[in-house]
Amino acid sequence: MDSIIVKGGKPLSGQIHIAGAKNAALALMPATLLSEEPLTLTNAPRLSDIKTMTELLQSLGAEITSMQDGKVQAMSTHGTINTTADYDIVRKMRASNLVLGPLLAREGHAVVSLPGGCAIGARPMDIHTDGLEKMGASIDLKDGYLHAKAAGGKLKGAVIDFPFASVGATENIMMAATLAKGTTVINNAAREPEIVDLATCLRRMGAQIDGDGTATITIQGVDRLGGATHPVVTDRIELGTYMLAPVIAGGEVECIGGRMDLVAAFAEKLDASGVSVTETANGLKVARKNGRPTAVDVTTEPFPGFPTDLQAQMMAMLCVAEGKSVLEEKIFENRFMHAPELVRMGAEIEVHGGTATVTGVERMKGAPVMATDLRASVSLILAGLAAEGETQVNRVYHLDRGYEHVEDKLGAVGADIKRVPGS
Ligand code: UD1
């Protein structure tokens, strides 16, 4: 297995190009199942999660051609398709559950494995399935698979009140509703930019959707959707991650393609921490205002709040900030797995349930560390940029799920970083 070695202490300078959003692309790709005509995504990120979604959609009958080194994904799903999403692929990635809504809308039935690692029952997909049931589907769980069937072979519009603004459930229901009979209203919908991006693409395909980006989304079902070409929105999580690099390492970095509206809550915290973020013609430029950044408290929330997917990276920064910061994780129960690894690098962190208290230290120390999940792994690389000596981040397959060529992007702005291929 590959590992990444970072030698800390080099200030950064230059530009980093931000890719298209992984989480947007993973929702946009299943939209190909809604139409017989081609759907082409441009600005797609080159990531292993995209390969997994490609594999899943191909197993269902989609034809997918990857062009321009993966930046363009041309998809088309005509004729008869397979409606069973197999555990062997679904288990690799929770976002595989986004084929359920489109399959049900197109064929009136679907069998989709529950994503692996989830506690079966109350939590994993209840918001998705409750919504689809409101639209006239019957859904049974058998042998780890959700067996879904629309009454009369076609979903019908419904008013759906989400108990929580789930991103995936909003995407699944929105896609399902585009081909349903009548009008669907989603109350307490997620407002993430990836939802707006999906709605924009679906409108290009002929869907009638209003209110995306607000808490109430209205979808008027249509008989059929056509083809479209759609550029994937900028990855706000990759953007936030690279914005933190010069804060931790020193120097100045311009994130090309970055937009303030995608990271407003995060940029506000950086400002409070003594970091300057300026809008340029091509993106966002980030540097420390004075010396060390200062402590700041952070609570993760659904968009437009501080994103849970930037919590680990923010913690890495706060480990070297001046003072004591409190981080509260409100979206996921167990998302401080990076804390013990950062402690191995000399950080002072105390975790109690969903709260972590970080007391900044002047300098962390390089150490061999283990990536436990996608965002945790990049937080260890960020920490390594400022640590004394060498940090070896192992198990980087997590990283490759969500960051394209991290070593090239950071290396190009002056970081001492390399990938060591595993045996
Ligand atoms: C998406 C993102 C992920 C991000 C998360 C929260 C993708 C591919 N992934 O994940 O990177 O961290 O949003 O911003 O876009 N929940 C339920 N029942 C459900 C669905 C969710 O209880 O039916 C819970 C989850 O366990 C979790 C919370 O709601 O605690 C948030 O989940 P959700 O917004 O659905 O996240 P995902 O769409 O899975």
Side-chain angles (χ1 to χ4, degrees), residues 22-24 26 94-95 97-98 122-129 164-169 171 192 236 308-309 331-333 335 375:
K22 168 181 86 76
N23 287 351
L26 290 177
R94 182 174 159 83
N97 63 15
L98 294 174
R123 294 208 61 201
M125 283 190 65
D126 53 330
I127 305 176
H128 303 239
T129 50
F164 176 84
S166 157
V167 174
E171 292 165 343
E192 270 69 2
R236 64 198 165 93
T308 175
D309 287 351
I331 309 292
F332 291 102
E333 288 153 10
R335 212 178 191 187
R375 308 302 170 187

PDB file of all heavy atoms in Angstrom, residues 22-24 26 94-95 97-98 122-129 164-169 171 192 236 308-309 331-333 335 375, ligand 1:
ATOM      1  N   LYS A  22     -16.020  16.021  -5.821  1.00  0.00           N
ATOM      2  CA  LYS A  22     -16.292  14.576  -5.719  1.00  0.00           C
ATOM      3  C   LYS A  22     -17.762  14.344  -5.370  1.00  0.00           C
ATOM      4  O   LYS A  22     -18.454  13.567  -6.030  1.00  0.00           O
ATOM      5  CB  LYS A  22     -15.401  13.958  -4.630  1.00  0.00           C
ATOM      6  CG  LYS A  22     -15.801  12.551  -4.234  1.00  0.00           C
ATOM      7  CD  LYS A  22     -14.931  11.977  -3.153  1.00  0.00           C
ATOM      8  CE  LYS A  22     -15.364  12.326  -1.755  1.00  0.00           C
ATOM      9  NZ  LYS A  22     -16.540  11.581  -1.257  1.00  0.00           N
ATOM     10  N   ASN A  23     -18.228  15.015  -4.329  1.00  0.00           N
ATOM     11  CA  ASN A  23     -19.588  14.734  -3.864  1.00  0.00           C
ATOM     12  C   ASN A  23     -20.654  15.179  -4.860  1.00  0.00           C
ATOM     13  O   ASN A  23     -21.740  14.613  -4.895  1.00  0.00           O
ATOM     14  CB  ASN A  23     -19.845  15.372  -2.492  1.00  0.00           C
ATOM     15  CG  ASN A  23     -19.109  14.621  -1.388  1.00  0.00           C
ATOM     16  OD1 ASN A  23     -18.548  13.552  -1.630  1.00  0.00           O
ATOM     17  ND2 ASN A  23     -19.107  15.180  -0.191  1.00  0.00           N
ATOM     18  N   ALA A  24     -20.353  16.181  -5.667  1.00  0.00           N
ATOM     19  CA  ALA A  24     -21.299  16.575  -6.711  1.00  0.00           C
ATOM     20  C   ALA A  24     -21.292  15.515  -7.811  1.00  0.00           C
ATOM     21  O   ALA A  24     -22.336  15.030  -8.243  1.00  0.00           O
ATOM     22  CB  ALA A  24     -20.936  17.942  -7.279  1.00  0.00           C
ATOM     23  N   LEU A  26     -20.519  12.409  -7.695  1.00  0.00           N
ATOM     24  CA  LEU A  26     -21.106  11.130  -7.277  1.00  0.00           C
ATOM     25  C   LEU A  26     -22.627  11.154  -7.298  1.00  0.00           C
ATOM     26  O   LEU A  26     -23.280  10.116  -7.377  1.00  0.00           O
ATOM     27  CB  LEU A  26     -20.609  10.749  -5.877  1.00  0.00           C
ATOM     28  CG  LEU A  26     -19.137  10.352  -5.798  1.00  0.00           C
ATOM     29  CD1 LEU A  26     -18.733  10.064  -4.355  1.00  0.00           C
ATOM     30  CD2 LEU A  26     -18.850   9.131  -6.676  1.00  0.00           C
ATOM     31  N   ARG A  94     -20.487   4.621   0.386  1.00  0.00           N
ATOM     32  CA  ARG A  94     -21.860   4.908   0.803  1.00  0.00           C
ATOM     33  C   ARG A  94     -22.677   5.607  -0.289  1.00  0.00           C
ATOM     34  O   ARG A  94     -23.882   5.373  -0.433  1.00  0.00           O
ATOM     35  CB  ARG A  94     -21.819   5.766   2.071  1.00  0.00           C
ATOM     36  CG  ARG A  94     -23.186   6.074   2.626  1.00  0.00           C
ATOM     37  CD  ARG A  94     -23.143   6.801   3.959  1.00  0.00           C
ATOM     38  NE  ARG A  94     -24.402   7.486   4.205  1.00  0.00           N
ATOM     39  CZ  ARG A  94     -25.488   6.924   4.709  1.00  0.00           C
ATOM     40  NH1 ARG A  94     -25.475   5.652   5.038  1.00  0.00           N
ATOM     41  NH2 ARG A  94     -26.593   7.619   4.891  1.00  0.00           N
ATOM     42  N   ALA A  95     -22.002   6.438  -1.090  1.00  0.00           N
ATOM     43  CA  ALA A  95     -22.726   7.194  -2.121  1.00  0.00           C
ATOM     44  C   ALA A  95     -23.344   6.292  -3.193  1.00  0.00           C
ATOM     45  O   ALA A  95     -24.158   6.751  -4.000  1.00  0.00           O
ATOM     46  CB  ALA A  95     -21.798   8.211  -2.780  1.00  0.00           C
ATOM     47  N   ASN A  97     -25.597   4.437  -2.712  1.00  0.00           N
ATOM     48  CA  ASN A  97     -27.044   4.416  -2.457  1.00  0.00           C
ATOM     49  C   ASN A  97     -27.796   5.428  -3.331  1.00  0.00           C
ATOM     50  O   ASN A  97     -29.013   5.417  -3.402  1.00  0.00           O
ATOM     51  CB  ASN A  97     -27.347   4.609  -0.964  1.00  0.00           C
ATOM     52  CG  ASN A  97     -26.896   5.957  -0.422  1.00  0.00           C
ATOM     53  OD1 ASN A  97     -26.608   6.878  -1.186  1.00  0.00           O
ATOM     54  ND2 ASN A  97     -26.828   6.073   0.890  1.00  0.00           N
ATOM     55  N   LEU A  98     -27.059   6.277  -4.044  1.00  0.00           N
ATOM     56  CA  LEU A  98     -27.711   7.285  -4.891  1.00  0.00           C
ATOM     57  C   LEU A  98     -28.271   6.712  -6.190  1.00  0.00           C
ATOM     58  O   LEU A  98     -28.857   7.438  -6.979  1.00  0.00           O
ATOM     59  CB  LEU A  98     -26.731   8.430  -5.198  1.00  0.00           C
ATOM     60  CG  LEU A  98     -26.344   9.251  -3.967  1.00  0.00           C
ATOM     61  CD1 LEU A  98     -25.263  10.265  -4.300  1.00  0.00           C
ATOM     62  CD2 LEU A  98     -27.562   9.957  -3.386  1.00  0.00           C
ATOM     63  N   ALA A 122     -32.493   1.543  11.977  1.00  0.00           N
ATOM     64  CA  ALA A 122     -32.938   2.929  12.093  1.00  0.00           C
ATOM     65  C   ALA A 122     -32.151   3.939  11.239  1.00  0.00           C
ATOM     66  O   ALA A 122     -32.744   4.670  10.473  1.00  0.00           O
ATOM     67  CB  ALA A 122     -32.895   3.353  13.551  1.00  0.00           C
ATOM     68  N   ARG A 123     -30.821   3.931  11.314  1.00  0.00           N
ATOM     69  CA  ARG A 123     -30.093   5.084  10.801  1.00  0.00           C
ATOM     70  C   ARG A 123     -29.733   5.147   9.321  1.00  0.00           C
ATOM     71  O   ARG A 123     -29.952   6.177   8.694  1.00  0.00           O
ATOM     72  CB  ARG A 123     -28.797   5.266  11.612  1.00  0.00           C
ATOM     73  CG  ARG A 123     -29.113   5.642  13.030  1.00  0.00           C
ATOM     74  CD  ARG A 123     -28.018   6.427  13.605  1.00  0.00           C
ATOM     75  NE  ARG A 123     -27.804   7.662  12.887  1.00  0.00           N
ATOM     76  CZ  ARG A 123     -26.697   8.353  12.919  1.00  0.00           C
ATOM     77  NH1 ARG A 123     -25.683   7.884  13.578  1.00  0.00           N
ATOM     78  NH2 ARG A 123     -26.593   9.480  12.283  1.00  0.00           N
ATOM     79  N   PRO A 124     -29.161   4.060   8.774  1.00  0.00           N
ATOM     80  CA  PRO A 124     -28.407   4.297   7.547  1.00  0.00           C
ATOM     81  C   PRO A 124     -29.139   4.974   6.412  1.00  0.00           C
ATOM     82  O   PRO A 124     -28.619   5.916   5.854  1.00  0.00           O
ATOM     83  CB  PRO A 124     -27.921   2.910   7.132  1.00  0.00           C
ATOM     84  CG  PRO A 124     -28.759   1.950   7.862  1.00  0.00           C
ATOM     85  CD  PRO A 124     -29.197   2.627   9.120  1.00  0.00           C
ATOM     86  N   MET A 125     -30.346   4.510   6.075  1.00  0.00           N
ATOM     87  CA  MET A 125     -31.002   5.096   4.892  1.00  0.00           C
ATOM     88  C   MET A 125     -32.471   5.400   5.164  1.00  0.00           C
ATOM     89  O   MET A 125     -33.268   5.492   4.242  1.00  0.00           O
ATOM     90  CB  MET A 125     -30.868   4.160   3.698  1.00  0.00           C
ATOM     91  CG  MET A 125     -29.487   4.205   3.071  1.00  0.00           C
ATOM     92  SD  MET A 125     -29.451   3.324   1.523  1.00  0.00           S
ATOM     93  CE  MET A 125     -30.546   4.267   0.486  1.00  0.00           C
ATOM     94  N   ASP A 126     -32.810   5.548   6.452  1.00  0.00           N
ATOM     95  CA  ASP A 126     -34.231   5.698   6.785  1.00  0.00           C
ATOM     96  C   ASP A 126     -34.856   6.951   6.157  1.00  0.00           C
ATOM     97  O   ASP A 126     -36.018   6.938   5.751  1.00  0.00           O
ATOM     98  CB  ASP A 126     -34.433   5.696   8.299  1.00  0.00           C
ATOM     99  CG  ASP A 126     -33.563   6.713   9.015  1.00  0.00           C
ATOM    100  OD1 ASP A 126     -32.453   7.008   8.516  1.00  0.00           O
ATOM    101  OD2 ASP A 126     -33.973   7.242  10.056  1.00  0.00           O
ATOM    102  N   ILE A 127     -34.084   8.014   6.044  1.00  0.00           N
ATOM    103  CA  ILE A 127     -34.644   9.257   5.488  1.00  0.00           C
ATOM    104  C   ILE A 127     -34.907   9.069   3.985  1.00  0.00           C
ATOM    105  O   ILE A 127     -35.943   9.501   3.461  1.00  0.00           O
ATOM    106  CB  ILE A 127     -33.713  10.466   5.769  1.00  0.00           C
ATOM    107  CG1 ILE A 127     -33.432  10.563   7.282  1.00  0.00           C
ATOM    108  CG2 ILE A 127     -34.341  11.766   5.264  1.00  0.00           C
ATOM    109  CD1 ILE A 127     -32.448  11.645   7.683  1.00  0.00           C
ATOM    110  N   HIS A 128     -33.989   8.356   3.313  1.00  0.00           N
ATOM    111  CA  HIS A 128     -34.176   8.054   1.889  1.00  0.00           C
ATOM    112  C   HIS A 128     -35.435   7.183   1.706  1.00  0.00           C
ATOM    113  O   HIS A 128     -36.299   7.483   0.890  1.00  0.00           O
ATOM    114  CB  HIS A 128     -33.008   7.238   1.318  1.00  0.00           C
ATOM    115  CG  HIS A 128     -31.649   7.861   1.476  1.00  0.00           C
ATOM    116  ND1 HIS A 128     -30.845   8.147   0.408  1.00  0.00           N
ATOM    117  CD2 HIS A 128     -30.924   8.240   2.562  1.00  0.00           C
ATOM    118  CE1 HIS A 128     -29.697   8.668   0.823  1.00  0.00           C
ATOM    119  NE2 HIS A 128     -29.732   8.729   2.134  1.00  0.00           N
ATOM    120  N   THR A 129     -35.488   6.078   2.477  1.00  0.00           N
ATOM    121  CA  THR A 129     -36.557   5.101   2.241  1.00  0.00           C
ATOM    122  C   THR A 129     -37.917   5.640   2.687  1.00  0.00           C
ATOM    123  O   THR A 129     -38.913   5.427   2.004  1.00  0.00           O
ATOM    124  CB  THR A 129     -36.249   3.759   2.950  1.00  0.00           C
ATOM    125  OG1 THR A 129     -35.912   4.022   4.304  1.00  0.00           O
ATOM    126  CG2 THR A 129     -35.095   3.046   2.281  1.00  0.00           C
ATOM    127  N   PHE A 164     -34.126  15.421   9.213  1.00  0.00           N
ATOM    128  CA  PHE A 164     -32.784  16.007   9.198  1.00  0.00           C
ATOM    129  C   PHE A 164     -32.463  16.314   7.742  1.00  0.00           C
ATOM    130  O   PHE A 164     -32.850  15.567   6.851  1.00  0.00           O
ATOM    131  CB  PHE A 164     -31.758  15.007   9.784  1.00  0.00           C
ATOM    132  CG  PHE A 164     -30.348  15.496   9.720  1.00  0.00           C
ATOM    133  CD1 PHE A 164     -29.840  16.338  10.700  1.00  0.00           C
ATOM    134  CD2 PHE A 164     -29.515  15.128   8.657  1.00  0.00           C
ATOM    135  CE1 PHE A 164     -28.540  16.813  10.623  1.00  0.00           C
ATOM    136  CE2 PHE A 164     -28.208  15.605   8.576  1.00  0.00           C
ATOM    137  CZ  PHE A 164     -27.721  16.452   9.566  1.00  0.00           C
ATOM    138  N   ALA A 165     -31.735  17.416   7.505  1.00  0.00           N
ATOM    139  CA  ALA A 165     -31.446  17.826   6.128  1.00  0.00           C
ATOM    140  C   ALA A 165     -30.343  16.953   5.528  1.00  0.00           C
ATOM    141  O   ALA A 165     -29.215  17.399   5.317  1.00  0.00           O
ATOM    142  CB  ALA A 165     -31.053  19.298   6.102  1.00  0.00           C
ATOM    143  N   SER A 166     -30.675  15.700   5.259  1.00  0.00           N
ATOM    144  CA  SER A 166     -29.694  14.752   4.711  1.00  0.00           C
ATOM    145  C   SER A 166     -29.361  15.093   3.256  1.00  0.00           C
ATOM    146  O   SER A 166     -30.258  15.264   2.428  1.00  0.00           O
ATOM    147  CB  SER A 166     -30.265  13.328   4.795  1.00  0.00           C
ATOM    148  OG  SER A 166     -29.636  12.477   3.857  1.00  0.00           O
ATOM    149  N   VAL A 167     -28.069  15.152   2.978  1.00  0.00           N
ATOM    150  CA  VAL A 167     -27.602  15.471   1.625  1.00  0.00           C
ATOM    151  C   VAL A 167     -28.019  14.359   0.656  1.00  0.00           C
ATOM    152  O   VAL A 167     -28.672  14.599  -0.361  1.00  0.00           O
ATOM    153  CB  VAL A 167     -26.067  15.649   1.621  1.00  0.00           C
ATOM    154  CG1 VAL A 167     -25.531  15.834   0.204  1.00  0.00           C
ATOM    155  CG2 VAL A 167     -25.659  16.823   2.511  1.00  0.00           C
ATOM    156  N   GLY A 168     -27.655  13.133   0.978  1.00  0.00           N
ATOM    157  CA  GLY A 168     -27.925  12.009   0.086  1.00  0.00           C
ATOM    158  C   GLY A 168     -29.417  11.803  -0.130  1.00  0.00           C
ATOM    159  O   GLY A 168     -29.860  11.534  -1.248  1.00  0.00           O
ATOM    160  N   ALA A 169     -30.213  11.927   0.940  1.00  0.00           N
ATOM    161  CA  ALA A 169     -31.659  11.717   0.800  1.00  0.00           C
ATOM    162  C   ALA A 169     -32.268  12.807  -0.078  1.00  0.00           C
ATOM    163  O   ALA A 169     -33.139  12.532  -0.908  1.00  0.00           O
ATOM    164  CB  ALA A 169     -32.315  11.690   2.175  1.00  0.00           C
ATOM    165  N   GLU A 171     -30.794  14.291  -2.520  1.00  0.00           N
ATOM    166  CA  GLU A 171     -30.405  13.975  -3.906  1.00  0.00           C
ATOM    167  C   GLU A 171     -31.236  12.815  -4.465  1.00  0.00           C
ATOM    168  O   GLU A 171     -31.738  12.878  -5.591  1.00  0.00           O
ATOM    169  CB  GLU A 171     -28.903  13.650  -3.950  1.00  0.00           C
ATOM    170  CG  GLU A 171     -28.077  14.904  -3.660  1.00  0.00           C
ATOM    171  CD  GLU A 171     -26.605  14.648  -3.311  1.00  0.00           C
ATOM    172  OE1 GLU A 171     -26.248  13.499  -2.966  1.00  0.00           O
ATOM    173  OE2 GLU A 171     -25.823  15.598  -3.370  1.00  0.00           O
ATOM    174  N   GLU A 192     -26.766  22.200   0.393  1.00  0.00           N
ATOM    175  CA  GLU A 192     -25.365  22.178  -0.040  1.00  0.00           C
ATOM    176  C   GLU A 192     -25.228  22.573  -1.522  1.00  0.00           C
ATOM    177  O   GLU A 192     -26.125  22.292  -2.328  1.00  0.00           O
ATOM    178  CB  GLU A 192     -24.797  20.758   0.142  1.00  0.00           C
ATOM    179  CG  GLU A 192     -24.162  20.476   1.499  1.00  0.00           C
ATOM    180  CD  GLU A 192     -25.145  20.427   2.671  1.00  0.00           C
ATOM    181  OE1 GLU A 192     -26.357  20.577   2.452  1.00  0.00           O
ATOM    182  OE2 GLU A 192     -24.693  20.254   3.811  1.00  0.00           O
ATOM    183  N   ARG A 236     -15.631  22.265  -2.858  1.00  0.00           N
ATOM    184  CA  ARG A 236     -15.413  23.217  -1.747  1.00  0.00           C
ATOM    185  C   ARG A 236     -14.594  22.576  -0.620  1.00  0.00           C
ATOM    186  O   ARG A 236     -13.956  23.272   0.156  1.00  0.00           O
ATOM    187  CB  ARG A 236     -16.753  23.765  -1.229  1.00  0.00           C
ATOM    188  CG  ARG A 236     -17.638  22.734  -0.630  1.00  0.00           C
ATOM    189  CD  ARG A 236     -19.097  23.181  -0.518  1.00  0.00           C
ATOM    190  NE  ARG A 236     -19.923  22.023  -0.268  1.00  0.00           N
ATOM    191  CZ  ARG A 236     -20.265  21.599   0.947  1.00  0.00           C
ATOM    192  NH1 ARG A 236     -19.914  22.274   2.012  1.00  0.00           N
ATOM    193  NH2 ARG A 236     -20.981  20.513   1.117  1.00  0.00           N
ATOM    194  N   THR A 308     -18.769  19.463   8.058  1.00  0.00           N
ATOM    195  CA  THR A 308     -18.122  18.361   8.781  1.00  0.00           C
ATOM    196  C   THR A 308     -16.911  17.831   8.000  1.00  0.00           C
ATOM    197  O   THR A 308     -15.928  17.385   8.593  1.00  0.00           O
ATOM    198  CB  THR A 308     -19.128  17.214   9.057  1.00  0.00           C
ATOM    199  OG1 THR A 308     -18.436  16.125   9.652  1.00  0.00           O
ATOM    200  CG2 THR A 308     -19.811  16.709   7.789  1.00  0.00           C
ATOM    201  N   ASP A 309     -16.965  17.913   6.666  1.00  0.00           N
ATOM    202  CA  ASP A 309     -15.863  17.390   5.856  1.00  0.00           C
ATOM    203  C   ASP A 309     -14.600  18.254   5.930  1.00  0.00           C
ATOM    204  O   ASP A 309     -13.582  17.895   5.330  1.00  0.00           O
ATOM    205  CB  ASP A 309     -16.302  17.239   4.386  1.00  0.00           C
ATOM    206  CG  ASP A 309     -17.247  16.069   4.182  1.00  0.00           C
ATOM    207  OD1 ASP A 309     -17.429  15.283   5.128  1.00  0.00           O
ATOM    208  OD2 ASP A 309     -17.808  15.949   3.073  1.00  0.00           O
ATOM    209  N   ILE A 331     -22.589  16.409  13.047  1.00  0.00           N
ATOM    210  CA  ILE A 331     -23.201  15.649  11.941  1.00  0.00           C
ATOM    211  C   ILE A 331     -22.963  14.151  12.105  1.00  0.00           C
ATOM    212  O   ILE A 331     -23.874  13.358  11.934  1.00  0.00           O
ATOM    213  CB  ILE A 331     -22.635  16.105  10.563  1.00  0.00           C
ATOM    214  CG1 ILE A 331     -22.719  17.628  10.411  1.00  0.00           C
ATOM    215  CG2 ILE A 331     -23.351  15.393   9.414  1.00  0.00           C
ATOM    216  CD1 ILE A 331     -24.107  18.205  10.293  1.00  0.00           C
ATOM    217  N   PHE A 332     -21.731  13.777  12.419  1.00  0.00           N
ATOM    218  CA  PHE A 332     -21.417  12.355  12.586  1.00  0.00           C
ATOM    219  C   PHE A 332     -20.982  12.099  14.021  1.00  0.00           C
ATOM    220  O   PHE A 332     -20.316  12.934  14.646  1.00  0.00           O
ATOM    221  CB  PHE A 332     -20.321  11.917  11.609  1.00  0.00           C
ATOM    222  CG  PHE A 332     -20.787  11.921  10.172  1.00  0.00           C
ATOM    223  CD1 PHE A 332     -20.431  12.947   9.313  1.00  0.00           C
ATOM    224  CD2 PHE A 332     -21.613  10.917   9.692  1.00  0.00           C
ATOM    225  CE1 PHE A 332     -20.867  12.964   7.994  1.00  0.00           C
ATOM    226  CE2 PHE A 332     -22.059  10.928   8.371  1.00  0.00           C
ATOM    227  CZ  PHE A 332     -21.690  11.950   7.522  1.00  0.00           C
ATOM    228  N   GLU A 333     -21.333  10.908  14.532  1.00  0.00           N
ATOM    229  CA  GLU A 333     -21.057  10.608  15.941  1.00  0.00           C
ATOM    230  C   GLU A 333     -19.585  10.341  16.219  1.00  0.00           C
ATOM    231  O   GLU A 333     -19.081  10.682  17.272  1.00  0.00           O
ATOM    232  CB  GLU A 333     -21.834   9.348  16.350  1.00  0.00           C
ATOM    233  CG  GLU A 333     -23.314   9.568  16.473  1.00  0.00           C
ATOM    234  CD  GLU A 333     -24.078   8.288  16.217  1.00  0.00           C
ATOM    235  OE1 GLU A 333     -23.446   7.211  16.127  1.00  0.00           O
ATOM    236  OE2 GLU A 333     -25.302   8.381  16.080  1.00  0.00           O
ATOM    237  N   ARG A 335     -16.404  11.090  14.593  1.00  0.00           N
ATOM    238  CA  ARG A 335     -15.563  11.652  13.540  1.00  0.00           C
ATOM    239  C   ARG A 335     -14.333  12.368  14.077  1.00  0.00           C
ATOM    240  O   ARG A 335     -13.928  13.401  13.573  1.00  0.00           O
ATOM    241  CB  ARG A 335     -16.385  12.587  12.665  1.00  0.00           C
ATOM    242  CG  ARG A 335     -15.846  12.518  11.254  1.00  0.00           C
ATOM    243  CD  ARG A 335     -16.580  13.344  10.260  1.00  0.00           C
ATOM    244  NE  ARG A 335     -16.091  12.957   8.938  1.00  0.00           N
ATOM    245  CZ  ARG A 335     -16.402  13.549   7.822  1.00  0.00           C
ATOM    246  NH1 ARG A 335     -17.223  14.567   7.819  1.00  0.00           N
ATOM    247  NH2 ARG A 335     -15.897  13.146   6.682  1.00  0.00           N
ATOM    248  N   ARG A 375     -11.013  12.318   5.003  1.00  0.00           N
ATOM    249  CA  ARG A 375     -10.640  13.662   5.464  1.00  0.00           C
ATOM    250  C   ARG A 375      -9.581  13.594   6.556  1.00  0.00           C
ATOM    251  O   ARG A 375      -8.737  14.482   6.677  1.00  0.00           O
ATOM    252  CB  ARG A 375     -11.871  14.436   5.939  1.00  0.00           C
ATOM    253  CG  ARG A 375     -13.016  14.469   4.927  1.00  0.00           C
ATOM    254  CD  ARG A 375     -12.632  15.057   3.586  1.00  0.00           C
ATOM    255  NE  ARG A 375     -13.688  14.860   2.580  1.00  0.00           N
ATOM    256  CZ  ARG A 375     -13.584  15.154   1.303  1.00  0.00           C
ATOM    257  NH1 ARG A 375     -12.470  15.647   0.811  1.00  0.00           N
ATOM    258  NH2 ARG A 375     -14.576  14.950   0.470  1.00  0.00           N
TER     259      ARG A 375
HETATM  260  C1  UD1 B   1     -22.801  13.582   2.330  1.00  0.00           C
HETATM  261  C2  UD1 B   1     -21.380  13.671   1.814  1.00  0.00           C
HETATM  262  C3  UD1 B   1     -20.384  13.548   2.966  1.00  0.00           C
HETATM  263  C4  UD1 B   1     -20.698  14.561   4.040  1.00  0.00           C
HETATM  264  C5  UD1 B   1     -22.163  14.474   4.464  1.00  0.00           C
HETATM  265  C6  UD1 B   1     -22.571  15.565   5.448  1.00  0.00           C
HETATM  266  C7  UD1 B   1     -21.573  12.747  -0.417  1.00  0.00           C
HETATM  267  C8  UD1 B   1     -21.220  11.653  -1.363  1.00  0.00           C
HETATM  268  N1  UD1 B   1     -21.164  12.605   0.853  1.00  0.00           N
HETATM  269  O1  UD1 B   1     -22.971  12.274   2.888  1.00  0.00           O
HETATM  270  O2  UD1 B   1     -19.082  13.735   2.452  1.00  0.00           O
HETATM  271  O3  UD1 B   1     -19.878  14.319   5.164  1.00  0.00           O
HETATM  272  O4  UD1 B   1     -23.015  14.595   3.301  1.00  0.00           O
HETATM  273  O5  UD1 B   1     -22.327  16.814   4.913  1.00  0.00           O
HETATM  274  O6  UD1 B   1     -22.140  13.749  -0.804  1.00  0.00           O
HETATM  275  N2  UD1 B   1     -28.620  10.007   8.294  1.00  0.00           N
HETATM  276  C9  UD1 B   1     -29.622   9.227   8.838  1.00  0.00           C
HETATM  277  N3  UD1 B   1     -30.507   8.612   7.994  1.00  0.00           N
HETATM  278  C10 UD1 B   1     -30.441   8.753   6.636  1.00  0.00           C
HETATM  279  C11 UD1 B   1     -29.423   9.546   6.092  1.00  0.00           C
HETATM  280  C12 UD1 B   1     -28.516  10.169   6.943  1.00  0.00           C
HETATM  281  O7  UD1 B   1     -29.720   9.094  10.053  1.00  0.00           O
HETATM  282  O8  UD1 B   1     -31.289   8.182   5.936  1.00  0.00           O
HETATM  283  C13 UD1 B   1     -27.621  10.665   9.178  1.00  0.00           C
HETATM  284  C14 UD1 B   1     -26.210  10.154   8.931  1.00  0.00           C
HETATM  285  O9  UD1 B   1     -25.945   8.961   9.640  1.00  0.00           O
HETATM  286  C15 UD1 B   1     -25.368  11.309   9.389  1.00  0.00           C
HETATM  287  C16 UD1 B   1     -26.204  12.525   9.003  1.00  0.00           C
HETATM  288  O10 UD1 B   1     -27.545  12.043   8.865  1.00  0.00           O
HETATM  289  O11 UD1 B   1     -25.179  11.311  10.785  1.00  0.00           O
HETATM  290  C17 UD1 B   1     -25.732  13.230   7.726  1.00  0.00           C
HETATM  291  O12 UD1 B   1     -25.881  12.377   6.658  1.00  0.00           O
HETATM  292  P1  UD1 B   1     -26.135  12.853   5.142  1.00  0.00           P
HETATM  293  O13 UD1 B   1     -26.352  14.328   5.080  1.00  0.00           O
HETATM  294  O14 UD1 B   1     -27.175  11.955   4.578  1.00  0.00           O
HETATM  295  O15 UD1 B   1     -24.733  12.520   4.518  1.00  0.00           O
HETATM  296  P2  UD1 B   1     -24.413  11.719   3.207  1.00  0.00           P
HETATM  297  O16 UD1 B   1     -25.351  12.129   2.120  1.00  0.00           O
HETATM  298  O17 UD1 B   1     -24.255  10.272   3.492  1.00  0.00           O
END
